[in-house]
Every structure is written in C-alpha cells, then in structure tokens.
C-alpha cells in the first residue's frame, strides 16, 4: 500500500480528532459518541464506495481505510496500555485510598455481577454454551466513565463521587479484561460448561502475578530515571517504555494479566515518581501522557468504529432479541450495584452517601466503548473459537455498544436535566454570587491602577468607575443579603473559600519549590479534604478534616507496631520524616491565610464570620504547632536538620529569582545565566535529598530527656531503649479503660492525656507517667485515661517496671509524689510492691 496514502489517512484521522471535540461541545454530546458516529460513517462510507458502481475514483482511499492494520492486538498492546497508564498517573492516589473500599467493591463485585448476570441470561435465552455466554458477559462489563464524569464536573457534583467512579472504572476494566482472558481460554479449549469455582480460583493468580510484574518494572524504571536526574527527555522516554514492557512481560513471560501489570506500574510510578524526579520533569511527563492518552483514546474509538459495519454484516433477526437480553441483564446488574450494594456500604460507613438522582445518572451513564469492541474483535479473529460463537460475540458486543453510545449517550444530558442535577444548590448559588463579588473587587483595584498608568481622560475614567462601582455594589449586596442562605451556610461558604485559597497557596509554594514535590500531593490532598469536609459537613466537617491532617493515621500506627514488635524501623522512619515535612509545610501555608480572611472574606461576609474563621484558623495553627513541638521533643536533632533544609531551599528559590531578574534586565547574558542555573541546579538537587532519620539513635535521646531516667548510665539507657515499646494515639483515643487489668506503665514522650477517676479529672503532659498505681496496688484500674492531643507514649510492661523501680531512686520519688497527690500512703504502696511477685524473671531492663 502506498505510504503517501497511508500517511494521508492517518493525518486525516488526527484532523477528525481535532474537529470532534469542539463539535461535541457545540452539540452538547459526549466526545466518545461523536468519535464513534464519525468512525461508523467513515467505515460504512469506505465499504459503500468500494462496492458501488457509481465511481471508482475513491476506491484507493476506501481500500486504504479498510486496509489499515486494525487488529485486536493493536488495541490491546498499543492503545490500551496508554489509556490505563495515563489514568493511573492522573489519579490522586491518597484521596483514592480514602475510598478504597467502595472503589474495590464496586469494581470487582460489579464486574462479577455483570458477567454472571449477562452470562446466565444469555445461556437461558440462547443455545450458546455457558463459557461463551460468560465470555460475552465479561466483554460487556467494562465501562467508560468519561461522559458521566465530565458532566458531573460541569454541574459541580461532589468531587468524591467523580473520584469513586473514575477509580471504579479503572479497576473495572482491569478485572473485566482478566475475566475475559480466563473465559476466552475455556472457549478456545472447548470447555462448554466450566466450573465457576475453578475459574475464580485462577483469578487471584492473574491479579497477583500482574501486580508483582508491574510493581517490579516500575521500581526498576524509577531507579534508572533517578540516575538521569539532569536528562529530562531520557526520563520521559523511559516512562513511555514502562507500560508496554510491563504489559508484555506479564502476558508473555508468566501468563499473568498485562492490564493489572500496567495499572500496578502506573500506581507505583505515581507514588514514587514525585519524590525521585525533578518537579518540572514530573510535570512535563504527566503532560506528555495526557496528550498520548487523548490521542490513543480518540484513535481507539474511531478505528474500532470502522469495524462496526463489518461486524454487523451478518446480523439476523433473532440477534436483536439476544442484544435486548444483554442490555436488560447489564442494566439490571448495574442497578443491583448502585441501588443495592452502595446503600449497604453507606449504612456500614464504608462509602459516602450517594443521592438517588446521582445513582440514576451513573446507571444511565454506564457507556461502553472501544475496550468492549476491542475484546469482541479479539474473539472474532481467533481461529480457535468456533465460527458460530465468533459471529454472535461480535454482533452482541457491537449491538450493545451502539445502544449505550447512541441511546444512552445522546440522552444522558437530558436525563441529568430531568433529575435536576444541572441546577445549582442554594449554597452553590450563594458561592457563585460570592465569587462574582470578590472578583469584581479585585478587578476594580486592577482597573484603577491601569487607568493611572495610561493617563486616560479624567471624565472618562470617572464615568466608567461610577458604572463599574454600581455593578460592584449590586454584586456585594446580593452576596450579603441572600435571604435563602442560613447563617450556618454562610460559615460553610467562608470555609470553602478559605480552604480553596489554602489550596492555591500550596500550589504557589510548590511552584516556588518552598514545598517539595514529593510532599505536594499529600499537602494538596489535605486541602481537598478540607474543601470536601466543609462542603458536605460545614464547620463540623471542616474541623474533622483539620484534626485528621495532624492525627496519626492507621498506616503510621501500623509502622509503629512493626518497629516495636518486629524491630522493623524503616517504615516508621520514612513516615515520621513525612509527618515532619507535612507539618512544616502546613505551618508555612496556614500563616498566610489570615491576610486572605481580612482582605477578602471580611469584605464579603462581614466581621463576625471573619472573626470566626480567624478562631478556627488559630486552632489549626495551634494543633500543628503542638504536633511539631511533640516531634521536636521526640527527635530533636532531626527536626533541626529538616529546618536547615527548608532554609536552604528557600535561599535557592530567592537566588534563582535574582538570576532571572538580572537576565530580564539585560545585566547578564544567556551564557552566564545558563552557567549560573546549572550550578544552582546541582545545589538544589543536594538540598532536595531529605536527611535520614535514625529511630534507634533518636530513642536514646528521647529516653535521656525524661527526668526520671537522667541519672541512668549510657549502658542502662541503651538497655532501657530496647525494652520500651512506642504507642501512637490520637486526640480522643482511650488509652486505659476502667476495670481493665493492669499490665503496663505509660510514659508520655509528647502530647498530653486526661485522667478521670473518682469524679476528679487532671491532665498529664510530657515527661510524666501513668498506670503505675494499679500495678503496685495489685488492683483493677479505677481510672479512665484519654489522649487530648496526638501523643507518643513509651510503654513498659509490669515486670520491667518493677525491676527499674528497684534500681531508680528518681522513679521511686516520682511514684511517691504521684501517690501523695492521690491520697495514697507511699509506705503502703511500696510494701505492696515488695510483696508482689515478679511475673517475668527473664526481664532484663
């Protein structure tokens, strides 16, 4: 075939891609629907002109179009890895992890339910073997969320809802393709009725093998990319190779799922890449993948649509009945998930509440597209699949895809309008009015400066200023006097605006490199939680998100257990260093928010709301400072190293700005500027390396800071360090419950606790201990102890505590003082202690 003709056809396809997006926006239809329709028209037109006797002039073009090497392997090995890899790179994984339960349940359970529903419905309605019916069920269970997600974003639907749909769709495709490969094997081997248990037993192997291959490939790629830190194009090139090598390696080497391998590789690069690659290289890498995925998604739709006329050439009347069965079964399976499983997950507090109108929109927006057609094409091309099954699979998958695109896709926006989802809620309407008022105030200030610079006519300026001032006054009045907005909603609006500005400030600090790129996503995730918390729960939701941002998470406490029980300090050291940097970044950003409250929010919402926001902001700053003080006390040397690193990075940012200013002013030339920037980049790379945290060494320093252990020698301190266990607790966590058995004594390394006993309450802080009285008196505990701040506790078991008490005079004095405070006779206390048996003679503290 003529290379010029092929190049012309391919270039024309890119022209179609460029025109399809504005056409879809003009017609208010999903982009994928436009691409599919155009592809069908091109494919049908090529067949028509090749077979008609009207003219032969277009035969070479028609032959070039129909002769394009469109095979299932092209879709599965070229386009699919691109789409999956880009989707994982574009995800906010930390926010996805917040909703991993509903995402995983909806993805895996939805695929299984859809596959079984369609498979058994077809088995009942047709003479096809069960394996072929389940194969069709797996093919049509993939979903394309792009249409419904884009519409949800345009109507300001909850971000968390769109995030769940995107995550569910990604894993949905991976699980469906894995099931497709499973049932495809049964069909090619001629197993008509496979055992469902045998089929599902092979499923974990496909998943685990693919996940391991993708993780290993990504770790190797990141290691190589980190070696080429000064060669951005080399790093991007390696990222392009990664998904394809992971896919082929999993499929061809170990027989695992290539799709899972690509997803695992993308997730691994997403998590580790920002910390190992320069910020600009990481940003450019993601932008390149956005473009590649856009092209791949459009081409896969158009090329797959080319095949639809050929796939439907042998359609028969009874096939329409089977297509109807597939449509009903697939929609019913989706409805079971949305109206059965999702409310159940919400009731169990594992998923956010999704209102019924949104669930209806998700149900009707479950479009199928190129992936479904590509899998169907793989079946029709396989010579090991019987001809009758090939024909039915091609027709049913194509017919179902056409129904979702043409019927559901074209009516989706109308359905959303009928559900009332395209109308702003009262609080969103008020938010839009607030945005207009704030924007106009800023515009007025900028226009005033502009007119002064250009020395315009005084009368003209005054006339336009008066006109603009009237509009501004009307906008401010409308924002202040919203009769349908309650006071609590005004607080919510202020909190949303404050959290939004916090996010903008974080982005500015990331661009300035004051906040490191590896921490950027985590800090932004916390800001997103504040926005969503304020939007869904008002002041309470905002405060919960704020407390969570400084609390010890489950992963942190799990790392603490690994260190204290298995002596694996790596995860704890890594997460503690992350916590240090996160808190430093939060403190930096929070101190800039007061000016925004005074400069913007006060002018729109008044002094009372501004004062309230200042109070909430002060509490957040205090909580961050408290957490930082606790970490400094716990790891004093490391905190100083991190602060020095912060100062160095800030100085480098200022130095870079000065060089750029001199270059713009013409004081230095391009050669000098390039040389200066090369030197600065080397020093910046050194400053980006975070110092290592030695947990064992730091714990010696921590124990030494306790007045109780100040008299101990170096050898005794090292032995004591080895027997202490660390426990991390959040504010509100219960540490000791009444009537519990006394087994341990607690020493407060950082934070504070509240002790309640006999109707009295008192607080203990750093350096104090609790829990010793019940052990020495050999009685059940009568106190309730709760943390009132995120706290780090050192825990000593009973036997080691008794041995230490025998040797430490300072500890004995502390116990006596504590007993006298509670009205207990110290002599009786130590008599009981001496009489009590030591339960563990092997303790060597």
């Amino acid at each position: 075939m003529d290379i010029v003709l092929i190049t012309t056809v391919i270039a024309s396809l890119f022209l179609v891609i460029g025109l399809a997006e504005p056409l879809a926006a003009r017609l208010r239809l999903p982009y994928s629907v436009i691409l599919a329709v155009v592809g069908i028209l091109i494919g049908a037109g090529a067949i028509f002109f090749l077979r008609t006797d009207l003219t032969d002039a277009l035969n070479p073009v028609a032959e070039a179009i129909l002769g394009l090497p469109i095979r299932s392997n092209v879709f599965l090995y070229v386009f699919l890895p691109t789409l999956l890899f880009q989707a994982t790179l574009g995800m906010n994984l930390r926010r996805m992890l917040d909703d991993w339960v509903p995402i995983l349940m909806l993805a895996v359970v939805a695929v299984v339910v859809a596959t079984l529903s369609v498979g058994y419905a077809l088995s009942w309605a047709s003479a096809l073997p069960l394996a072929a019916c389940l194969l069709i069920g797996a093919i049509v269970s993939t979903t394309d969320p792009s249409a419904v997600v884009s519409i949800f974003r345009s109507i300001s639907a909850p971000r968390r809802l769109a995030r769940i749909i995107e995550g569910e769709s990604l894993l949905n495709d991976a699980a469906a393709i894995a099931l497709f490969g499973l049932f495809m094997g049964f069909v090619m081997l001629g197993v008509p009725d496979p055992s469902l248990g045998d089929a599902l037993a092979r499923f974990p192997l496909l998943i685990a093998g693919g996940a391991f291959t993708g993780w290993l490939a990504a770790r190797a790629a990141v290691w190589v990319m980190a070696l080429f830190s000064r060669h951005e194009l080399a790093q991007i090139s390696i990222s392009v190779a990664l998904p394809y090598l992971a896919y082929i390696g999993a499929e061809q080497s170990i027989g695992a799922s290539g799709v899972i391998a690509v997803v695992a590789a993308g997730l691994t690069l997403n998590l580790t890449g920002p910390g190992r690659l320069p910020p600009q290289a990481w940003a450019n890498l993601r932008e390149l993948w956005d473009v590649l995925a856009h092209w791949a998604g459009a081409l896969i739709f158009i090329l797959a649509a080319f095949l639809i006329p050929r796939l439907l050439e042998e359609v028969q009347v009874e096939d329409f009945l089977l297509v109807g069965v597939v449509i009903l079964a697939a929609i019913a399976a989706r409805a079971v998930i949305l109206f059965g499983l999702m409310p159940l997950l919400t009731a169990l507090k594992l998923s956010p509440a999704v209102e019924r109108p949104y669930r209806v929109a998700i149900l009707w927006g479950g479009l199928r597209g190129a992936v479904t057609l590509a899998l169907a094409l793989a079946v029709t091309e396989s010579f090991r699949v019987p001809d009758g099954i090939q024909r039915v699979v091609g027709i049913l998958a194509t017919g179902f895809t056409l129904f979702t695109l043409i019927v559901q896709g074209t009516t989706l926006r109308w359905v959303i309008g009928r559900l009332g989802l395209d109308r702003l809620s009262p609080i969103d309407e008020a938010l839009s009015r607030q945005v207009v008022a704030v924007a106009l105030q800023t515009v007025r200030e900028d226009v005033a400066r502009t007119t002064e610079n250009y020395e315009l006519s005084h009368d003209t300026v005054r006339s336009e200023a008066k006109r603009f001032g009237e509009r501004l006054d009307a906008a401010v009045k409308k924002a202040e006097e919203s009769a349908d907005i309650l006071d609590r909603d005004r607080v919510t609006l202020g909190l949303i605006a404050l959290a939004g500005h916090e996010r903008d400030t974080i982005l500015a600090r990331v661009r300035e490199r004051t906040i490191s790129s590896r921490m950027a996503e985590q800090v932004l995730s916390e800001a997103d939680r504040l926005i969503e918390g304020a939007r869904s729960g008002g002041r309470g939701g905002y405060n919960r998100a704020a407390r969570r941002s400084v609390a010890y998470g489950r992963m942190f406490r799990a790392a603490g257990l690994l260190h204290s029980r298995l002596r694996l300090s790596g995860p704890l050291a890594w997460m503690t260093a992350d916590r240090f940097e996160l808190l430093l970044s939060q403190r930096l950003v929070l101190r800039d928010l007061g000016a925004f409250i005074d400069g913007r929010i006060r002018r729109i919402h008044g002094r009372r709301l501004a004062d309230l926001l200042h109070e909430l902001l002060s509490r957040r700053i205090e909580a961050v400072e408290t957490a930082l003080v606790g970490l400094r006390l716990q790891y004093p040397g490391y905190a100083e190293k991190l602060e020095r690193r912060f100062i160095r990075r800030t100085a480098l940012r200022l130095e870079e700005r000065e060089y750029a200013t001199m270059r713009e002013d013409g004081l230095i030339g391009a050669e000098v500027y390039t040389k200066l920037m090369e030197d600065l980049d080397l020093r910046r790379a050194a400053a980006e390396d975070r110092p290592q945290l030695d947990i064992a060494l730091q714990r010696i320093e921590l124990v030494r800071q306790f007045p109780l252990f100040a008299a101990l020698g170096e050898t005794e301190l090292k032995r004591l360090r080895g027997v202490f266990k660390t426990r991390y607790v959040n504010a509100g966590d219960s540490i000791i419950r009444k009537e519990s058995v006394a087994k341990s004594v607690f020493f407060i390394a950082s934070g504070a606790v509240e002790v309640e006993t006999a109707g009295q309450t008192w607080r203990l802080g750093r350096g104090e201990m609790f829990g010793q009285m019940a052990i020495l008196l050999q009685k059940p505990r009568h106190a309730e102890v709760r943390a009132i701040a995120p706290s780090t506790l050192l825990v000593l078991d009973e036997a080691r505590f008794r041995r230490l008490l025998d040797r430490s005079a300072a500890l004995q004095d502390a116990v006596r003082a504590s007993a006298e405070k509670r009205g207990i006779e110290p002599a009786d206390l130590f008599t009981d202690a001496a009489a009590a048996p030591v339960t563990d003679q092997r303790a060597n503290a």
Side-chain angles (χ1 to χ4, degrees):
M1 190 179 296
D2 188 0
I3 187 64
V4 174
L5 193 57
I6 294 178
T7 305
T8 303
V9 171
I10 295 175
S12 300
L13 291 180
F14 277 93
L15 180 62
V16 169
I17 293 171
L19 296 175
E21 188 171 5
L23 179 61
R26 182 71 177 269
L27 299 177
R28 296 177 62 82
L29 289 173
Y31 180 52
S32 56
V33 172
I34 296 296
L35 291 174
V37 171
V38 171
I40 292 172
L41 292 177
I42 294 175
I47 294 175
F48 172 78
F49 284 111
L50 193 62
R51 296 180 181 178
T52 185
D53 295 330
L54 296 177
T55 178
D56 293 333
L58 296 176
N59 282 3
V61 177
E63 289 175 352
I65 292 174
L66 297 177
L68 289 174
I70 307 173
R71 300 290 183 269
S72 61
N73 285 345
V74 174
F75 294 115
L76 297 178
Y77 281 87
V78 177
F79 294 130
L80 189 60
T82 305
L83 294 175
L84 294 174
F85 193 73
Q86 185 275 335
T88 57
L89 286 183
M91 286 182 171
N92 187 332
L93 293 181
R94 287 182 172 82
R95 301 309 320 277
M96 289 286 184
L97 290 175
D98 292 344
D99 299 306
W100 70 272
V101 173
I103 289 174
L104 196 61
M105 291 291 291
L106 289 174
V108 177
V109 176
V111 167
V112 174
V113 170
T115 300
L116 296 180
S117 175
V118 173
Y120 281 100
L122 276 178
S123 178
W124 171 78
S126 69
L128 292 172
L130 179 61
C133 295
L134 292 173
L135 177 63
I136 295 171
I139 290 173
V140 302
S141 63
T142 62
T143 59
D144 177 14
S146 58
V148 68
V149 168
S150 63
I151 293 177
F152 275 6
R153 285 174 175 166
S154 68
I155 63 176
S156 300
R159 291 185 185 180
R160 193 177 185 188
L161 179 58
R163 195 164 54 241
I164 289 175
I165 296 172
E166 287 178 318
E168 180 244 345
S169 173
L170 177 66
L171 298 181
N172 175 296
D173 285 350
I177 295 172
L179 277 178
F180 164 81
L182 192 64
F183 292 119
M184 185 70 169
F186 287 124
V187 171
M188 290 190 299
L189 292 174
V191 181
D193 298 309
S195 168
L196 194 59
D198 294 342
L200 295 180
R202 294 179 55 191
F203 195 58
L205 181 61
L206 293 172
I207 302 295
F212 177 75
T213 303
W215 173 83
L216 188 62
R219 294 295 297 181
V222 170
W223 179 75
V224 175
M225 292 163 73
L227 295 178
F228 305 148
S229 59
R230 299 183 60 190
H231 303 279
E232 182 179 317
L233 294 179
Q235 294 173 330
I236 294 176
S237 301
I238 292 171
S239 78
V240 173
L242 173 58
Y244 300 103
L245 294 178
Y247 188 96
I248 294 171
E251 290 276 346
Q252 304 297 327
S253 300
I254 62 175
S257 170
V259 174
I260 299 295
V262 172
V263 172
L267 295 176
T268 304
L269 181 61
N270 194 341
L271 284 172
T272 58
R276 304 293 301 277
L277 306 182
Q280 192 58 46
W282 178 249
N284 292 338
L285 182 150
R286 291 182 61 168
E287 288 180 3
L288 173 67
W289 273 103
D290 288 341
V291 175
L292 292 177
H294 176 72
W295 288 343
L299 286 173
I300 195 174
F301 254 108
I302 294 178
L303 295 177
F306 281 2
L307 306 173
I308 289 178
R310 278 183 279 174
L311 289 172
L312 295 180
E313 281 184 328
E314 300 180 10
V315 66
Q316 300 174 7
V317 177
E318 56 268 21
D319 294 330
F320 289 99
L321 174 62
L322 295 182
V323 171
V325 171
V326 173
I327 292 171
L328 292 176
I331 292 178
R334 190 73 171 163
V336 167
I337 299 299
L338 292 170
F339 295 94
L341 181 60
M342 287 195 75
L344 178 61
L345 293 177
T346 301
L348 296 174
K349 297 183 179 180
L350 297 175
S351 171
V354 180
E355 298 177 1
R356 182 177 293 271
Y358 284 113
R359 280 181 274 159
V360 174
I362 296 171
L363 174 64
W364 195 246
L367 308 184
R368 270 63 168 182
V371 175
T372 300
L373 292 176
L375 297 180
L377 183 62
V379 177
T380 61
E381 290 177 353
S382 177
F383 67 90
R384 299 176 65 182
V385 177
D387 293 339
I389 294 178
Q390 287 185 17
R391 186 191 72 83
V392 174
V393 169
I395 290 173
L396 295 188
T398 304
F400 180 66
T401 302
L402 285 176
F403 172 83
T404 63
L405 289 174
I406 295 175
V407 178
Q408 293 179 230
T410 56
T411 59
L412 178 58
R413 194 172 288 274
W414 176 83
V415 170
I416 285 178
R418 296 290 295 176
L419 293 170
L421 297 178
D422 57 346
R423 294 189 293 272
L424 290 178
S425 64
I427 191 170
D428 285 330
E429 184 68 35
L431 180 59
S432 68
R433 291 194 289 267
Q434 175 195 2
V435 168
V436 171
V438 172
L440 290 181
Q441 285 187 340
T442 304
V443 170
R444 181 180 65 176
E445 297 168 359
D446 292 341
V447 167
R449 286 192 295 268
T450 302
T451 55
E452 291 175 2
N453 294 336
Y454 284 96
E455 299 182 354
L456 300 177
S457 168
H458 180 70
D459 292 337
T460 303
V461 171
R462 185 174 59 182
S463 174
E464 288 300 316
K466 180 180 178 181
R467 179 182 175 186
F468 189 85
E470 291 173 353
R471 184 185 173 198
L472 175 59
D473 291 341
V476 172
K477 185 176 180 180
K478 194 174 182 181
E480 290 177 343
E481 298 178 357
S482 298
D484 53 343
I485 299 299
L486 302 175
D487 286 343
R488 66 171 179 271
D489 292 332
R490 292 184 185 278
V491 174
T492 299
L493 288 175
L495 290 173
I496 292 173
L498 183 63
H501 182 72
E502 181 174 344
R503 195 181 196 282
D504 294 339
T505 304
I506 292 168
L507 290 173
R509 294 290 180 266
V510 172
R511 286 191 293 268
E512 295 171 353
R513 300 191 181 184
T514 307
I515 296 177
S516 67
S517 57
R518 74 179 310 277
M519 292 304 300
E521 186 176 349
Q522 188 170 351
V523 183
L524 286 171
S525 296
E526 298 296 344
D528 288 338
R529 288 192 183 98
L530 290 169
I531 295 173
E532 294 180 15
R535 181 176 288 276
S536 61
R539 188 196 307 187
Y542 181 91
N543 287 333
R544 284 191 295 272
R547 287 194 297 269
R548 177 176 178 176
S549 68
V550 298
Y552 292 107
R554 295 176 183 174
M555 297 297 292
F556 195 99
R557 287 187 279 189
L561 288 175
L562 286 175
H563 173 64
S564 61
R565 302 205 175 163
L566 301 179
R567 295 293 185 263
L568 297 177
S569 61
L572 180 60
W574 177 63
M575 297 187 76
T576 301
D578 272 357
R579 180 173 172 81
F580 255 122
E581 197 164 356
L582 174 66
L583 292 171
L584 287 171
S585 302
Q586 286 181 334
R587 185 181 65 176
L588 172 70
V589 171
L590 289 177
R591 289 180 173 178
D592 292 340
L593 298 183
F596 176 76
I597 295 174
D598 292 330
R600 294 293 185 88
I601 294 179
R602 185 186 296 272
R603 288 190 289 178
I604 299 299
H605 294 291
R607 179 181 298 274
R608 195 174 81 173
L609 179 59
D611 291 343
L612 174 62
L613 295 185
H614 271 300
E615 181 183 350
L616 294 176
L617 181 61
S618 298
R619 291 178 186 173
R620 286 191 62 198
I621 294 174
E622 182 182 356
V624 171
E625 291 286 0
T626 300
L628 272 174
V629 168
L631 283 174
R632 283 197 189 94
L633 292 172
Q634 194 171 351
Y635 308 109
Y638 187 73
E640 180 182 346
K641 290 180 182 178
L642 278 183
E643 290 177 343
R644 289 182 181 277
R645 172 175 175 258
F646 175 80
I647 293 172
R648 289 171 189 152
R649 287 171 50 215
T650 302
L652 288 170
R653 173 177 59 83
L654 297 174
E655 184 179 351
E656 181 182 16
R657 188 177 66 185
E658 288 299 313
Y659 292 156
T661 302
M662 292 179 184
R663 176 75 175 90
E664 293 171 359
D665 293 341
L667 297 176
I668 57 176
E671 297 82 0
V672 175
Y673 178 76
T674 302
K675 179 61 178 175
L676 290 173
M677 291 305 298
E678 287 179 356
D679 179 63
L680 188 141
D681 287 339
L682 289 175
R683 285 181 285 126
R684 173 170 281 145
E688 286 292 334
D689 292 335
R690 191 166 64 183
Q692 296 295 319
L693 173 61
D694 189 336
I695 293 286
L697 180 62
Q698 294 288 339
R699 187 177 287 184
I700 293 177
E701 298 297 324
L702 176 62
V703 174
R704 184 180 282 117
Q705 291 178 29
F706 277 82
L708 301 176
F709 311 128
L712 297 180
E714 193 69 24
T715 303
E716 291 179 305
L717 280 174
K718 289 183 178 180
R719 292 170 60 193
L720 190 60
R721 179 209 72 194
V723 298
F724 269 127
K725 293 183 179 179
T726 308
R727 181 176 172 184
Y728 302 94
V729 292
N730 289 319
D733 286 356
S734 178
I735 304 170
I736 292 178
R737 299 183 184 276
K738 291 181 179 179
E739 307 304 325
S740 60
V741 179
K743 295 182 179 179
S744 304
V745 179
F746 301 85
F747 298 84
I748 304 175
S750 66
V753 302
E754 188 174 72
V755 182
E756 180 182 349
T757 180
Q760 295 182 334
T761 302
W762 64 91
R763 294 181 174 181
L764 303 176
R766 176 181 174 268
E768 298 186 271
M769 65 177 170
F770 59 91
Q772 72 278 9
M773 291 301 170
I775 285 180
L776 295 176
L777 294 173
Q778 292 293 297
K779 294 179 180 179
R781 300 189 189 274
H782 297 298
E784 184 88 14
V785 183
R786 291 183 302 276
I788 57 176
S791 304
T792 302
L793 308 175
L794 298 182
V795 186
L796 202 61
D797 63 50
E798 177 183 354
R800 292 186 172 98
F801 172 73
R802 290 184 181 278
R803 289 184 176 275
L804 182 62
L805 184 64
D806 290 339
R807 298 199 308 269
S808 173
L811 185 58
Q812 293 173 12
D813 292 340
V815 170
R816 289 190 183 94
S818 177
E820 291 172 353
K821 182 188 295 186
R822 304 183 191 188
I824 301 174
E825 182 61 40
D828 297 338
L829 186 68
F830 282 95
T831 301
D832 292 339
V838 177
T839 57
D840 186 358
Q841 297 297 331
R842 293 169 295 177
N844 56 2

